[in-house]
Amino acid sequence: MEMYIGVDIGTTAVKTIVYNSDAKKIEMDVSQSYEAFSKGHGQFEQDPRQIERAVFETLKQVSKSFTNVRAIVLDSALHTVMLLNGDLEPLSNVIPWLDERSVDHVKKVISDNQLSKHLHLKTGCPPDTVYPLYKLLWIKQNEKDMLNSASKIVSLKDYVIYKLTGDLVSDIGVASGSGYMDIEKKVWCEELLKDFLEISSEKLPQLVSPKTVLRLSKEAAKITGLPEGLPVVVGISDAAASSIGAGAFVENSITISVGSSAAIRAVLNHPVKQYPVSSIWCYVLDENHYISGAAIKNGGYVFDWYVKLFCCYDHETIVKKVEENLDFLDEKPVLFYPFIFGKRFPEFDPSPRAKFDNLTSTTTQEQVARSVLEGIAFNLKRAFDVVKTIPNSLEKVFATGGLTRATVWMKMLSAILNHPILVQSKRQGAALGTILYFLSKGDLNSIGGYLSNNEVEIFQPDRSLFEYYSKLYRMWVENF
């Protein structure tokens, strides 16, 4: 039996799986969580050493159960940045995508329409606080000495790869989410780096293919218990891995991914030449493919926020109560607008604007919880209606992420989108996707052969729910 380790370095946890390529199934999955901490208004950071320990701990757990591992394959969250000193040790914490310290810098670029469009087309990244380019602009203005003294500017994934292998490289997929890589030429944008940050690409890692194979170092082998020299595959971004793990195809499908945040994306053979709205992004998947879509800041974390702040039940109980009452179609339902983090779609707006409409003295916990789930889904529909125009056709819609585990939400979403939704596997989609990408050697059309049909679940839109939600969505948009 051939076993492969998939390591998904996410925003809130590292998720590691062991995939049996002969049986086409996941034999083990483990995770270690970590959190971002506040450094002031809109500022969030993470401890790189804590995340490093989390990765090594999951690999250590795997090594205790499996000895016939063929390779480790990585993926990671996009839009992270950190600085390293001359010894390639952390000079700063990790700044993740959710950090908003660079709002003023983003607004300044947006105010220059010509510059904004130029950067968007060249890098695939519309002006937004999620991108490292703007975080580095903030550092240049506020902590310039640290920026100047940094030996290297890297992503979290680059740092983890270095700790596993001793090689400091950046895959073109994750690098394309920085805001300073040319997505067509697949090189760092030297002029942009010089003009905006007053640095050269010498401060950045070497760009490599996601298929690049490195080797587990002696030091990492000692810590993890895995064999020295074990192949370590650089791999892809979690966005691309999530789509692949969900079963998505090229140019004819869309993947809806709902974790802490949410995204709707398509896999393409070419970069987008004309963006339907200003917030649509386009990143590199590998040398021959791209992913394009819309990101939503307000995903599954919004429901967590609601449960912690307002609900007298735990997650499992309130979701069950909502499902038990799904057939009840309220004449005057509660409407929820989930913008607790502002908006990334249809344009950049950092102002938090979450609200409930139609609350009364008789409103129940179940009605409020249902409105939160519906609000997240309605927000996704707005993006879905735009993103579905990007690929050549739309034959299938896939879903992945934490909210796919809530059957009631999947029933809602399929009815709201009026489209069947396929859930390939509810177990660690991105970690599986990065392994499948490696096994397929980048031939995305062959990936279906590595997936088990036994794990596919299809949610068909219910007709009565579709009619109800069509009216409710119009109310939601009108009151926006």
Side-chain angles (χ1 to χ4, degrees), residues 62-359:
V62 168
S63 72
K64 292 176 181 177
S65 300
F66 296 90
T67 57
N68 55 337
V69 174
R70 298 295 299 273
I72 300 170
V73 194
L74 303 172
D75 78 77
S76 79
L78 289 156
H79 321 316
T80 62
V81 66
M82 60 182 291
L83 307 182
L84 302 181
N85 64 21
D87 296 323
L88 300 184
E89 294 296 335
L91 184 63
S92 74
N93 286 319
V94 178
I95 305 178
W97 64 268
L98 57 101
D99 179 89
E100 295 183 329
R101 70 185 68 190
S102 58
V103 166
D104 290 341
H105 300 280
V106 173
K107 287 181 176 178
K108 184 176 180 180
V109 171
I110 289 175
S111 68
D112 185 333
N113 189 51
Q114 186 175 352
L115 173 62
S116 179
K117 286 185 176 180
H118 170 71
L119 293 177
H120 194 182
L121 284 172
K122 192 173 191 65
T123 69
C125 302
D128 195 294
T129 56
V130 301
Y131 297 114
L133 171 64
Y134 301 97
K135 302 181 195 307
L136 290 172
L137 281 171
W138 185 93
I139 292 174
K140 176 192 168 188
Q141 177 178 304
N142 296 277
E143 299 177 357
K144 191 168 184 178
D145 288 345
M146 184 172 69
L147 180 63
N148 289 339
S149 66
S151 171
K152 292 291 181 181
I153 301 168
V154 301
S155 74
L156 173 59
K157 185 185 184 188
D158 304 339
Y159 173 73
V160 171
I161 288 172
Y162 172 70
K163 287 298 179 178
L164 288 172
T165 68
D167 295 305
L168 188 63
V169 298
S170 187
D171 80 88
I172 55 176
V174 168
S176 71
S178 66
Y180 42 81
M181 193 192 94
D182 186 316
I183 60 170
E184 290 205 56
K185 296 180 180 178
K186 300 176 181 64
V187 297
W188 296 121
C189 298
E190 291 282 2
E191 187 175 333
L192 191 159
L193 293 168
K194 180 181 178 182
D195 292 346
F196 275 68
L197 302 173
E198 298 177 2
I199 63 172
S200 75
S201 62
E202 291 180 3
K203 279 188 180 283
L204 303 177
Q206 175 189 354
L207 291 170
V208 297
S209 165
K211 305 181 190 75
T212 300
V213 179
L214 306 173
R215 299 288 170 176
L216 193 68
S217 69
K218 181 178 180 180
E219 294 77 10
K222 184 177 180 180
I223 297 170
T224 62
L226 293 166
E228 180 183 352
L230 179 70
V232 177
V233 184
V234 171
I236 52 184
S237 70
D238 65 345
S242 178
S243 290
I244 292 170
F249 301 96
V250 181
E251 293 286 6
N252 67 355
S253 62
I254 281 177
T255 302
I256 300 171
S257 179
V258 188
S260 301
S261 58
I264 301 177
R265 66 182 82 89
V267 179
L268 310 173
N269 286 318
H270 51 80
V272 176
K273 297 294 185 182
Q274 187 170 356
Y275 292 97
V277 299
S278 62
S279 60
I280 295 293
W281 41 258
C282 182
Y283 310 138
V284 171
L285 192 159
D286 63 11
E287 294 87 343
N288 303 308
H289 302 96
Y290 294 80
I291 53 172
S292 180
I296 310 293
K297 283 187 175 182
N298 305 287
Y301 184 83
V302 174
F303 194 69
D304 294 340
W305 165 83
Y306 154 72
V307 171
K308 290 177 183 177
L309 199 58
F310 298 113
C311 191
C312 63
Y313 302 107
D314 60 25
H315 276 75
E316 185 177 350
T317 302
I318 192 62
V319 168
K320 185 177 180 181
K321 286 180 175 291
V322 171
E323 184 157 22
E324 289 171 350
N325 291 278
L326 187 60
D327 292 336
F328 175 69
L329 308 182
D330 201 340
E331 287 294 323
K332 194 170 178 60
V334 176
L335 296 175
F336 175 65
Y337 297 83
F339 308 110
I340 64 173
F341 291 120
K343 293 181 292 182
R344 286 185 68 185
F345 182 91
E347 66 272 324
F348 174 76
D349 182 354
S351 305
R353 293 180 182 175
K355 67 174 182 176
F356 289 96
D357 277 350
N358 300 335
L359 291 174

